Amino acid sequence: MNNVNSILNSSKGSVLRTMSNINFFTKKNLSDLEHVRLGLLRKNSVYRHGVTRFLPRNKWNTSTPNPYCVKIVDIHPLLLEPEWSIYREIIIFHEFIHCLGYLGHNKEFYKLESLWPTINQKKEQGQKFMQTLKQKNSTWKWICPKCNMNVLRQRKSLGKYICKKCNCKLIDEAI
Ligand SMILES: [Zn+2]
Ligand SMILES: [Zn+2]
């Protein structure tokens, strides 16, 4: 798992370097964030691509949370693949804003998030990433025997669905 940690650490370094060029974050913000540990979500997570897990409130040294109140930031393991490096850093940056005490997804939060250089790719990358996860998590293919139309699903169709075009019952094929 050394490889995982080295990718996580170099991603953290890269995100912090980019943040140091954004005219908002202080030196203290960045050195505090250095202490945040990065880990991985479960690989079957589809909708969640990153999460900041805070320590219980009674362990906070302050009333508004800071990076020292963070237990770990977990990101999706598939984000470690090189093809997702842009999206990976967007996700880590997003979680780092939470770590700095901006907990909710409000106007202020999104204004900060929008300072990230590749933020205009977030939506497209996020959708592509989710699509990939859905495919990876599917175990069944529902197929129309007539026109070959097919959809990927986690469950069997069990003869309950028909092809809209051909009016044919879909059949299940294991992936
Ligand atoms: Zn968030
Ligand atoms: Zn059909």
Side-chain angles (χ1 to χ4, degrees), residues 7-36:
I7 296 171
L8 289 175
N9 274 328
S10 71
S11 301
K12 176 160 89 176
S14 171
V15 169
L16 290 176
R17 265 195 307 283
T18 303
M19 283 175 81
S20 72
N21 291 320
I22 297 175
N23 205 356
F24 174 84
F25 303 103
T26 64
K27 283 218 162 74
K28 177 157 173 35
N29 286 158
L30 301 177
S31 62
D32 288 353
L33 286 169
E34 289 268 5
H35 296 273
V36 173

Side-chain angles (χ1 to χ4, degrees), residues 112-126:
L112 286 179
E113 195 191 42
S114 75
L115 299 173
W116 189 255
T118 59
I119 197 66
N120 59 348
Q121 293 184 52
K122 186 186 179 192
K123 200 173 166 199
E124 196 199 326
Q125 290 267 313

Side-chain angles (χ1 to χ4, degrees), residues 87-99:
Y87 190 54
R88 182 203 311 146
E89 294 197 0
I90 291 174
I91 290 293
I92 295 174
F93 175 61
H94 177 108
E95 298 309 328
F96 277 1
I97 300 174
H98 285 314
C99 295

Side-chain angles (χ1 to χ4, degrees), residues 144 146-147 163 166:
C144 170
K146 208 163 157 191
C147 72
C163 173
C166 323

